[in-house]
């Protein structure tokens, strides 16, 4: 795996720091790749908060015990545009190191209701291809402020398919009605880019209201901007331009609506 990595000016120096037994042991090739990924972004491009950095071994640990159907993600809130500082089994959501914070992460950064929570579990994540994931997040704190998150997103689609078939089979012998699963307290969109996050946020909002972009009036567009602002989307670079494109309006219009929303308090 290491031999296929793109060349860079400090790859070799990074690999020299890895003990010889790791370099030759095929079972530790993942460790070699991860070291490259860490140093590719840190410290030269994406400095990592030291408190967040201490959780890097936990990413290794969780990967080993949870298996390939669970994505493990370490977020650093220092730079929301490149919040993902380490990720394993990224194929689950389609994300990679250097990706932006999710809509839920942006919400957590400024919503006081999360301030005293140590973690949240059992909420819904939406991954690549619309996959529904079982998600959990541990909040990383420094001086009582949330500075990062350690997240686990598990793809249970196979298990759910088997369960559905078992329920159908049982229905042939048992007439007891099936209880509906409780609705998820949180829903998180696991987006690969700022563009995808904003497009998806607007699309899901309008779909829930039975609207489309073409039918929006000025008051509706202001309400969309209010929703995006409330979820912290405008903390991301380029968010205004992307929102303007998605809504089919000019950037000055987005700034004007945003100013109006923020004056409302």
């Amino acid at each position: 795996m290491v031999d296929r990595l793109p060349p860079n000016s400090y790859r070799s120096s990074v690999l020299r720091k890895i003990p010889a037994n790791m370099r030759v042991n095929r079972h530790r090739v993942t460790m070699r790749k991860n070291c490259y990924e860490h140093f590719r972004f840190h410290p030269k491009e994406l400095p990592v908060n030291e408190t967040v950095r201490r959780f890097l071994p936990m990413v290794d640990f969780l990967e080993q015990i949870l298996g390939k159907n669970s994505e493990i993600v370490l977020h650093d809130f220092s730079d929301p545009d490149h919040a993902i500082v380490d990720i394993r089994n990224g194929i689950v959501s389609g994300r990679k190191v250097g990706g932006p914070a999710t809509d839920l992460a942006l919400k957590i950064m400024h919503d006081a209701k999360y301030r005293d929570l140590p973690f949240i579990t059992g909420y819904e994540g939406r991954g690549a291809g619309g996959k529904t994931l079982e998600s959990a997040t541990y909040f990383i704190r420094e001086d009582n402020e949330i500075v990062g998150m350690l997240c686990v997103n598990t793809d249970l689609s196979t298990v759910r398919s088997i369960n559905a078939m078992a329920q159908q089979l049982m229905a042939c012998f048992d007439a007891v009605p099936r209880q509906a699963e409780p609705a998820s307290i949180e829903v998180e969109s696991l987006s690969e880019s700022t563009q995808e996050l904003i497009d998806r946020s607007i699309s899901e909002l309008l779909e829930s209201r039975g609207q489309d972009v073409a039918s929006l009036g000025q008051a509706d567009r202001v309400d969309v901007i209010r929703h995006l602002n409330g979820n912290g989307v405008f903390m991301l670079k380029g968010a205004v331009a992307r929102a303007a494109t998605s809504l089919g309006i000019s950037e000055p219009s987005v700034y004007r609506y945003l100013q109006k929303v923020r004056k409302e308090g």
Side-chain angles (χ1 to χ4, degrees):
M1 293 173 70
V2 173
D3 293 336
R4 295 198 298 272
L5 292 172
N8 67 89
S9 58
Y10 44 95
R11 170 187 158 191
S12 59
S13 63
V14 170
L15 295 181
R16 279 199 299 271
K17 295 178 182 178
I18 303 172
N21 65 323
M22 285 190 184
R23 293 201 300 268
V24 299
N25 187 338
R26 293 181 182 178
H27 297 292
R28 301 309 294 273
V29 72
T30 301
M31 177 68 77
R32 295 170 65 194
K33 178 176 182 291
N34 291 333
C35 284
Y36 165 78
E37 289 179 344
H38 294 162
F39 279 84
R40 179 182 177 190
F41 290 92
H42 332 311
K44 294 178 179 281
E45 297 178 32
L46 299 178
V48 184
N49 176 289
E50 285 303 316
T51 301
V52 174
R53 187 187 293 275
R54 295 190 191 108
F55 284 80
L56 286 170
M58 284 297 297
V59 180
D60 289 314
F61 172 67
L62 291 172
E63 179 189 25
Q64 292 298 315
I65 64 172
L66 295 178
K68 65 180 182 180
N69 285 336
S70 290
E71 174 188 72
I72 302 97
V73 193
L74 185 63
H75 292 267
D76 181 353
F77 287 172
S78 302
D79 180 1
D81 291 280
H82 305 96
I84 298 177
V85 295
D86 199 5
I87 186 168
R88 308 297 163 79
N89 303 322
I91 193 172
V92 170
S93 71
R95 296 178 296 167
K96 58 186 177 181
V97 171
T102 64
D103 51 356
L104 179 59
L106 294 171
K107 187 177 179 181
I108 287 167
M109 288 183 206
H110 72 277
D111 194 329
K113 79 175 186 178
Y114 297 99
R115 192 166 296 155
D116 298 321
L117 294 177
F119 54 79
I120 52 175
T121 61
Y123 65 91
E124 179 182 317
R126 293 176 183 167
K131 271 188 276 189
T132 299
L133 310 172
E134 183 82 14
S135 300
T137 290
Y138 178 83
F139 300 133
I140 301 172
R141 286 181 166 80
E142 182 177 272
D143 298 326
N144 294 320
E145 293 293 328
I146 299 176
V147 295
M149 308 188 307
L150 180 61
C151 308
V152 176
N153 304 300
T154 303
D155 181 5
L156 297 175
S157 55
T158 302
V159 174
R160 286 174 175 146
S161 295
I162 294 172
N163 183 58
M165 287 188 287
Q167 291 288 341
Q168 290 176 356
L169 182 61
M170 290 299 295
C172 298
F173 306 97
D174 188 355
V176 177
R178 183 182 171 193
Q179 292 184 341
E181 292 184 5
S184 177
I185 298 173
E186 300 283 1
V187 177
E188 179 179 28
S189 295
L190 309 177
S191 306
E192 293 183 60
S193 64
T194 300
Q195 173 181 334
E196 183 187 344
L197 188 152
I198 294 174
D199 288 349
R200 187 185 291 185
S201 295
I202 293 175
S203 175
E204 290 177 352
L205 176 64
L206 296 184
E207 184 178 343
S208 70
R209 297 178 177 182
Q211 297 176 302
D212 57 42
V213 172
S215 68
L216 298 180
Q218 180 174 324
D220 297 318
R221 289 193 288 268
V222 171
D223 200 39
V224 171
I225 297 303
R226 182 180 293 109
H227 173 79
L228 296 177
N229 183 63
N231 286 338
V233 168
F234 292 107
M235 295 172 65
L236 300 173
K237 294 176 184 176
V240 168
R242 189 61 222 174
T245 301
S246 296
L247 292 171
I249 58 178
S250 66
E251 290 183 36
S253 293
V254 175
Y255 279 115
R256 188 168 63 253
Y257 297 159
L258 190 55
Q259 185 177 35
K260 173 182 173 64
V261 166
R262 287 175 174 170
K263 280 184 178 179
E264 294 172 353

